[in-house]
Amino acid sequence: LPENSAGKTLALRIYSDYTSIGLWGDVEITDRIDALKGMLHASVQDLAVSAFSLLLAMLAAIFAMIGPERRGFFAIALFAFSSGLMLLAETPVRQLLADAPLTWDILRAASYFTLPIAIGLLLSHWLEGVPKRWMRRLWQLHLAYLVVSIGLVALGVVNLALTFPIFDVLLLLTLPLMLLLALLRVRRLNLEQRLFVTSFLLFAPLLLLDMLVAHELIPRR
């Protein structure tokens, strides 16, 4: 602030065309050093999980290049990379890595939109017959949405904020179908594959819960 600002009234006008601001758009007036400390403190946990996810993605990518189960490891690498990148793009410390807010938001959106693609790729690799064809159509639908939505945002045709609720409605329809197709064939899967399906069964409600909180349909706590 200017030197002669002591004792004067400071007014801020903040505009957002997102569906909501508040908890998702924090505004603080503080000392720069305190702000940096707060950013680092708020980012430690997410940075640790992000680093672990990106390491897992790198290892899975290596196995995808040299191992026999290439498609399965590629799907795992894609899921881990998307999760890690999404966490990194959400941390406050990202501003210190690159001062490009819209780019970070686009990366976060693209990573979020990629998660069901990775899930569908992995499950379709294990399934056979009609469930396999339906699973392929579902992840291809999400791939088309990813390409079209991010492409339109990059061209400035569509606002990025509008792509999230549309994707969430799509995910509400496709994610239960993916899990249902996997459960119909769960007896034919081996132990490791059943463990993956179980992990997705635990992951799906958390993803839906996060979605409901983001749209303020349920309280944050």
Side-chain angles (χ1 to χ4, degrees):
L1 297 175
E3 292 292 338
N4 60 349
S5 60
K8 295 184 178 181
T9 301
L10 176 65
L12 298 175
R13 177 177 294 177
I14 302 165
Y15 169 78
S16 171
D17 54 6
Y18 191 57
T19 53
S20 64
I21 191 166
L23 292 171
W24 314 110
D26 298 334
V27 178
E28 298 180 3
I29 301 176
T30 183
D31 183 74
R32 180 176 176 81
I33 298 299
D34 292 337
L36 292 175
K37 290 180 180 179
M39 288 168 57
L40 293 174
H41 179 74
S43 303
V44 169
Q45 184 174 350
D46 285 344
L47 284 176
V49 179
S50 175
F52 178 78
S53 297
L54 294 175
L55 176 62
L56 179 62
M58 183 178 66
L59 294 174
I62 294 174
F63 283 112
M65 291 186 289
I66 63 175
E69 294 288 334
R70 295 186 176 183
R71 186 173 176 182
F73 278 114
F74 172 77
I76 295 173
L78 182 63
F79 184 86
F81 179 77
S82 300
S83 302
L85 184 60
M86 183 174 66
L87 280 173
L88 178 62
E90 288 179 342
T91 57
V93 80
R94 69 186 184 273
Q95 301 175 64
L96 303 179
L97 300 176
D99 188 15
L102 183 58
T103 301
W104 281 117
D105 283 343
I106 292 176
L107 285 176
R108 179 170 65 95
S111 301
Y112 181 43
F113 298 165
T114 302
L115 293 178
I117 300 174
I119 295 175
L121 273 172
L122 186 60
L123 294 178
S124 65
H125 176 61
W126 295 336
L127 300 177
E128 298 177 353
V130 176
K132 184 182 183 72
R133 289 195 296 271
W134 274 101
M135 189 69 71
R136 185 186 300 118
R137 291 171 183 170
L138 290 175
W139 73 255
Q140 287 174 347
L141 175 62
H142 278 283
L143 178 60
Y145 182 80
L146 168 66
V147 174
V148 172
S149 61
I150 299 300
L152 292 176
V153 169
L155 293 173
V157 178
V158 174
N159 191 299
L160 179 63
L162 299 178
T163 63
F164 283 96
I166 298 174
F167 172 81
D168 289 342
V169 172
L170 179 63
L171 190 65
L172 281 174
L173 299 175
T174 59
L175 189 59
L177 288 175
M178 286 183 175
L179 296 176
L180 179 60
L181 291 172
L183 290 175
L184 290 175
R185 300 288 179 172
V186 71
R187 293 184 179 180
R188 300 185 181 183
L189 303 178
N190 59 37
L191 178 60
E192 293 82 2
Q193 293 169 345
R194 291 183 182 183
L195 289 174
F196 267 99
V197 172
T198 302
S199 71
F200 286 140
L201 287 174
L202 297 174
F203 171 77
L206 293 175
L207 189 62
L208 295 176
L209 186 64
D210 180 69
M211 183 192 310
L212 293 174
V213 171
H215 292 290
E216 298 182 338
L217 298 176
I218 60 175
R220 180 181 174 89
R221 71 180 61 182

